[in-house]
Structure formats: structure tokens, C-alpha cells
Amino acid sequence: MVKKKDDTTEEKILNAAKKIFIKNGMAGARMQDIADEAGINKALLHYYFKNKELLFENIFIKLSTDFWPRLNFIFESDMPLFEKIPTFCNLYMEKLIENPYIPLFVLYEMNRRPAQFFKKMFAGNAPQPLKLMNQIEAEAKAGKIRPIHPSQLVINMISMCIFPFIGKPMIMAVMNMNEDQFRVLIEQRKKDVPIFIIESIKK
Amino acid sequence: MVKKKDDTTEEKILNAAKKIFIKNGMAGARMQDIADEAGINKALLHYYFKNKELLFENIFIKLSTDFWPRLNFIFESDMPLFEKIPTFCNLYMEKLIENPYIPLFVLYEMNRRPAQFFKKMFAGNAPQPLKLMNQIEAEAKAGKIRPIHPSQLVINMISMCIFPFIGKPMIMAVMNMNEDQFRVLIEQRKKDVPIFIIESIKK
DNA sequence: GTCTATAACTCGATAGAC
DNA sequence: GTCTATCGAGTTATAGAC
């Protein structure tokens, strides 16, 4: 019988820290809250992770890869563009539905840290949109799609996938929605965003 | 000779608080930093604003209206849709270029506050996309544009305007850009985003 | 209104027993 | 490895002089 991973104290701490850091951010999170969430005391927390900064870095690097999950294989696949775009949007939005609070957390913390810091967070995990961008440029040159800046198209796609999760409270307030209605909106987007993009670039 | 508004102590405090809160967030901001920035001491800060929470609320409500500046007149104007969309994108992105850090600040703080809290922040300032949405629906029914969910179109438009400002460090890292190149990218977007949208919905 | 000084408190971190 | 107890730095907030 294999011991479940999150039965160990270290896993309990990591899960608790993840939850508390996402909820309150680095500055707002308390070591006491993390200890409580993990069902241990502060001293033990410091026994496993020397200080708050190191615990945070550990979590931040993990969550950065959740923010940008292993979808490079789509960017870099040989799929035709009109298939690649819906595939990416669907898979990425699925991931975001599972982890809706990660983008805001990651982008917020990135904004108050020097660029140097998140070089290491990208170690081997950086998104590689270059092949997709080359593909877009090739299709445009070949007259298969209308001329468009590849980087702008990629940013448009990612903006429309991510933003609703970041702007959820604003959207719900402005559009006078409840949780259920918001969930429906997001489900709709999985179909609508790819259509929106393809309608824009097709000739 | 009229006294400049920000010569008063209260205005100095408000400007300082705005700067520090945007930079460090509510949890990360220190009353001492705000006092230093304003060129006064902490005691005087508490004389003007009883506590940190009240000062924050004051700033947050102000910044929420900057986040959503007075652009309702565009949403509600009688402009044709194909003119309204570029006008909105241009004016909104101009505002965001002036205040690039406000969206992340506002959306982050909104996410850790109960919906009830920012009801008051919307007092009289809520964005009113309803007329725009009705217009979209009418144009679709009349066969002037392809069928599309009005709320999705509005969210797409806002996503593409705002997201680059929130995701700036990520975009710069992934696309290997410096500040100047990012500025160019944003300038391009003022033209490209409206085109992208119109190409998508036109018949 | 504005300041200095300090109280009151929060929180990260450590000492030391088991 | 895990706990209780506590230190000490840093912060919000107040008292009280000018």
C-alpha cells in the first residue's frame, strides 16, 4: 500500500501554503494561517521551510507552471492553424476553470518582483509561442489568412482566455450575474472565443 | 490666484497614498511609507484619516473610477457600432497608458473583498454596457453583423484592451521584449484591436 | 495642524523541552 | 519531528506638547 503523497507533513504544508498564498498574496498571508490550515504550529513550519520568503518562492514557482501549464506541445505541434487555435483555447480554459485564481496571483506577484526573479521560474517551462507565431506569419504570407501581427494575435488569444478569470468580480458586478450565470458564460466562451478569432483572421 | 489643490495636506496625503497603495497593495503598503511620500509624519496621517482601512477605501473608490473612467458616454452614444468600437478601444487604451498599474491593483483588491464592498464604489460610476449590448443584438438580428452573444463581444473587447497592462511582465519575458518594444506593441494595439474585432463580426 | 514619543499589537522567527 | 513559550522587529495607532 503506497502512502498518499499529501499525508506527509511537507505535503500538508505545501498544500496549505498554496491555498493561503493564493487567497491573500505574499504580503497578506500569515505564517500562522498557513500553520493552522496545515494543522500544525508555526515552529514546525519553520522547521520545514526556513522562512516565509523561501516557502513563498517554492509555491510561486509551482504555481507559475500551473498558470502556464504544459501546453507548449500545442504551440509547437504541426496542427493546422484553424485547428490549433481552438485546441489551445479549449485546453487552456479547461485548466483555468480548474485553477481560476492562479492567473491573478501569479501576475500580481510578478508585477512587484524584479524580472530577474522569475527567470528561474521559467526554467524549462517558458511558453514557446515562437513556432505558432511563425506559422501565423507563414499563413499570412501565403494569403491563407488576412495580414496580422503574429504577436498581437497571440496576445489577443491569451487575453480573451485569461481575462474573465482575473476580472470575474468586475464582470459579475457590471453584468449583474450570479455564480451560475458566470459559469455558463465561461462555458460559452470555450466555443465562442475560437470562433471569434477564426472569424477575424480567415479570408 | 487660486491655490493648487494638491498643496493642501489632505491632497498630499491622497496623492502619496494612491502611489504607495498601487505599488504595494493594501497589505504591503506601510503608513510610514505614505507619510514619507507625503512629506509628513504618521501622526498627521492618522489625524486626517483615522486608520489605514479608511484611507485605503478612500483611495480604492477613487481608483475604481479611474479603472473605469467616464467612457459610458461612448457606450451610450448613438454612434454606429463600427465607429463605437474603435472609439472606445482607443480612448480606453489611452487612459490605460496614462494609468497602467490601476487595473491590476483594482482587480486584485476586488478579488479579496466581498461583493458588497464595491457596491458603493460603483455608486453612479458603474459601466453601463447595456445600450451597447442592445445595439450589438439589434445589428445581429438585422443581419448587419454575424450572430454573436453581446456579452461575449463586450468581454472580448475589454479583455484585449486591459490584459496587456496586467500581463506586461509575462509578455515581456515570454516575447523577450524591453520597455521600448513593449511601448510599440501597445501603440500598435490601439489600431489592431479594433480591426481585429471588426473583422470578426462584419459580414 | 503638526510634531515627538511611545503605547499596543502583530507577526516572523528561535530556544529548548519532549 | 513536533510542541510550547517567548523574543524581537516592525507597524498601526494614540497621547500629549507646541
Side-chain angles (χ1 to χ4, degrees), chain A residues 23-25 67 104 108 111-112 127 149 152 156 159 163 166 170 174 185 188-189 192 196 199-200, chain B residues 23-25 67 104 108 111-112 127 149 152 156 159 163 166 170 174 185 188-189 192 196 199-200:
Chain A
K23 192 170 159 199
N24 298 329
F67 170 84
L104 186 54
Y108 184 80
N111 258 282
R112 61 210 61 233
H149 289 112
Q152 300 286 3
N156 289 348
S159 299
F163 182 78
I166 293 175
M170 182 66 85
V174 168
L185 180 94
Q188 262 181 5
R189 283 187 80 72
D192 287 4
F196 188 84
E199 287 292 326
S200 179
Chain B
K23 191 169 161 201
N24 299 328
F67 171 84
L104 186 54
Y108 184 80
N111 258 281
R112 62 211 60 236
H149 289 112
Q152 300 287 3
N156 290 347
S159 299
F163 182 79
I166 293 176
M170 181 66 85
V174 168
L185 181 92
Q188 263 180 6
R189 283 186 80 73
D192 288 4
F196 188 84
E199 287 292 327
S200 179

Side-chain angles (χ1 to χ4, degrees), chain B residues 35-164:
Chain B
D36 291 348
E37 179 72 29
I40 59 167
N41 58 61
K42 278 187 296 178
L44 196 51
L45 202 50
H46 281 93
Y47 174 80
Y48 278 88
F49 296 89
K50 195 156 69 244
N51 57 45
K52 186 180 172 184
E53 183 62 30
L54 286 176
L55 179 54
F56 173 78
E57 284 189 22
N58 192 304
I59 298 293
F60 181 72
I61 290 168
K62 273 192 174 55
L63 290 182
S64 302
T65 66
D66 285 354
F67 171 84
W68 204 261
R70 307 182 194 294
L71 296 181
N72 274 340
F73 75 94
I74 300 175
F75 276 170
E76 297 178 357
S77 83
D78 288 326
M79 252 179 253
L81 190 59
F82 286 8
E83 190 177 323
K84 190 179 280 193
I85 289 170
T87 304
F88 173 81
C89 290
N90 273 287
L91 277 178
Y92 195 27
M93 289 187 72
E94 293 281 0
K95 294 278 185 192
L96 291 172
I97 289 169
E98 285 167 33
N99 294 304
Y101 299 112
I102 289 181
L104 186 54
F105 170 79
V106 170
L107 293 176
Y108 184 80
E109 299 294 345
M110 275 186 87
N111 258 281
R112 62 211 60 236
R113 254 152 250 279
Q116 162 269 343
F117 176 89
F118 42 84
K119 286 277 159 74
K120 68 175 152 184
M121 113 191 181
F122 273 160
N125 274 306
Q128 300 288 353
L130 198 63
K131 181 153 180 186
L132 174 59
M133 285 166 61
N134 287 338
Q135 187 176 12
I136 292 165
E137 196 156 28
E139 300 268 312
K141 275 216 177 96
K144 302 274 185 63
I145 62 172
R146 72 174 175 86
I148 188 169
H149 289 112
S151 54
Q152 300 287 3
L153 175 51
V154 170
I155 292 172
N156 290 347
M157 181 171 74
I158 291 170
S159 299
M160 288 188 283
C161 289
I162 293 181
F163 182 79

Side-chain angles (χ1 to χ4, degrees), chain B residues 170-187:
Chain B
M170 181 66 85
I171 291 170
M172 285 179 62
V174 168
M175 304 222 168
N176 211 21
M177 282 180 175
N178 62 32
E179 284 287 340
D180 280 340
Q181 293 169 316
F182 185 79
R183 221 187 324 274
V184 171
L185 181 92
I186 293 291
E187 280 301 319

